[in-house]
Amino acid sequence: MVIKKVSIIGLGALGILFGHQLAKKMPRADLRIIADQNRIQRYQQNGVFCNGECCDFNYVTPEEPCEPADLLIMAVKFNGLKDAIQSVQKHVGENTIILSLLNGITSEEIIGEIYGMDKILYSVAQGMDAVKVGNQLTYDHMGMICFGESETGLISERVNVVTEFFEQMEVPYKVDSDMLTRLWGKFMLNVGVNQTVAVFESNYGEVQQEGPARSKMISAMKEVISLSEKAGVQLTEEDLDYWLGVLGTLSPDGKPSMAQDVEAKRISEVELFSGTVVKLGKRFGVPTPINQELYHRIKLIENRYTMIG
């Protein structure tokens, strides 16, 4: 199998970032950006920009007949996943490979329930410092897509197919034979950095240096380590150090998605982060006071602007 046709749903930071890279390397008709008619009209009228370059994307509606994608990239926010799963129906065929770039630890299973886990490769996007304001995306570090099978130690033919494609497209990537640990590790980082930077109304720089914000972030991350032990994943202090190292590579002026949501007065993915941690804590009998605090503080922030709105 060779990947020729690619479909992407979701033009947030990740969709634009990797869509723009693919668009520079692929025939225009072979890269489809799935969106409803209203969004397409807005994208076409206002443009979509990546580091100042206008993205010349090929937009298709969910209803439009098409060949199934060889590779389908899900890049929506978690609260848009249910609708996205319905919208990509015509793009999923017998041999379609699906990569979910969503945050959290549950999207692969949710997508797999509908289209089959045999189509899913576990994946994580990490190391990018993209900031999206309106229709403008800017970044210093593109980061990479880490992917692999759910089964530890397995490097499958599907993994090799995606590897070859990313090589051709010059998309930074890493094949990981222990994707569940990486998935939980990225979740741990998001639980810490997304929520802390949002609550402190700051940026990566604030949590890259010693101080109250960094201490709060690390405490929230350590609660995920405790949960992982109960879930059979076994994150360690070494994993914590690795992800703090990833954080250290990002532009100090950059901000994670939740901080950008709070600035724009949008509902955030707090349910996906501390919401999930608190629920798992209750299930496993693990105390999660830091995440309970972060959840409460972010909900208060959101309530202020939803009441005003």
Side-chain angles (χ1 to χ4, degrees):
M1 178 183 169
V2 176
I3 293 174
K4 292 184 177 179
K5 297 204 174 291
V6 178
S7 298
I8 298 175
I9 187 163
L11 273 190
L14 294 177
I16 295 173
L17 181 69
F18 292 111
H20 180 60
Q21 177 63 24
L22 294 177
K24 292 189 286 187
K25 299 288 183 178
M26 294 180 65
R28 187 175 184 277
D30 288 346
L31 176 64
R32 292 89 57 103
I33 307 295
I34 307 165
D36 62 51
Q37 194 59 57
N38 289 337
R39 286 179 186 270
I40 292 174
Q41 187 173 359
R42 188 168 73 246
Y43 295 150
Q44 290 176 333
Q45 284 181 346
N46 302 329
V48 175
F49 295 86
C50 184
N51 274 354
E53 294 182 20
C54 187
C55 302
D56 182 26
F57 287 142
N58 168 34
Y59 299 105
V60 298
T61 64
E63 300 78 24
E64 199 169 321
C66 66
E67 285 184 61
D70 300 310
L71 177 65
L72 170 62
I73 298 175
M74 309 282 282
V76 296
K77 286 286 188 71
F78 188 78
N79 55 18
L81 180 58
K82 184 178 178 181
D83 289 341
I85 287 172
Q86 297 303 315
S87 296
V88 301
Q89 191 171 359
K90 293 185 184 298
H91 295 255
V92 181
E94 184 179 349
N95 298 312
T96 301
I97 298 170
I98 302 175
L99 293 180
S100 169
L101 303 185
L102 278 73
N103 289 321
I105 51 177
T106 59
S107 66
E108 279 86 358
E109 283 81 3
I110 294 170
I111 299 165
E113 284 177 6
I114 304 301
Y115 293 118
M117 290 303 296
D118 61 307
K119 292 182 171 55
I120 307 289
L121 284 179
Y122 279 66
S123 56
V124 162
Q126 68 178 65
M128 58 286 302
D129 52 14
V131 174
K132 182 172 179 281
V133 179
N135 63 343
Q136 302 272 348
L137 180 82
T138 56
Y139 69 89
D140 291 327
H141 301 283
M142 189 176 188
M144 62 180 172
I145 298 177
C146 303
F147 63 95
E149 296 284 358
S150 60
E151 183 181 340
T152 302
L154 175 63
I155 305 295
S156 66
E157 177 59 28
R158 298 188 308 154
V159 169
N160 291 332
V161 166
V162 176
T163 297
E164 183 177 342
F165 176 69
F166 281 168
E167 284 280 352
Q168 293 172 350
M169 297 296 107
E170 297 181 12
V171 171
Y173 72 91
K174 178 180 177 64
V175 173
D176 195 326
S177 60
D178 188 7
M179 274 304 300
L180 287 181
T181 298
R182 186 173 290 269
L183 202 68
W184 268 80
K186 175 68 184 301
F187 175 62
M188 173 178 66
L189 177 66
N190 277 329
V191 162
V193 71
N194 258 286
Q195 300 186 126
T196 304
V197 175
V199 163
F200 280 77
E201 298 181 359
S202 55
N203 53 25
Y204 290 128
E206 174 110 16
V207 290
Q208 286 169 336
Q209 59 189 357
E210 297 300 325
R214 185 176 176 87
S215 296
K216 182 74 69 179
M217 175 187 72
I218 291 174
S219 296
M221 293 170 74
K222 286 184 175 179
E223 291 182 351
V224 177
I225 292 178
S226 299
L227 289 173
S228 74
E229 295 168 2
K230 301 289 187 179
V233 178
Q234 301 290 335
L235 291 178
T236 66
E237 291 286 332
E238 286 185 11
D239 294 303
L240 177 67
D241 291 341
Y242 169 82
W243 287 100
L244 291 176
V246 171
L247 172 62
T249 67
L250 305 181
S251 168
D253 296 326
K255 297 179 181 182
S257 58
M258 183 176 283
Q260 296 177 50
D261 287 338
V262 166
E263 278 192 357
K265 295 181 168 53
R266 295 188 296 258
I267 297 301
S268 73
E269 292 184 306
V270 67
E271 297 293 346
L272 191 60
F273 299 139
S274 55
T276 299
V277 170
V278 171
K279 286 176 186 174
L280 289 175
K282 290 176 180 176
R283 182 194 304 176
F284 295 133
V286 174
T288 57
I290 302 300
N291 275 280
Q292 288 176 349
E293 176 199 340
L294 290 169
Y295 181 87
H296 178 68
R297 292 176 68 175
I298 291 164
K299 281 294 188 180
L300 284 177
I301 293 170
E302 293 181 350
N303 288 340
R304 284 204 299 267
Y305 53 71
T306 53
M307 288 174 64
I308 293 172

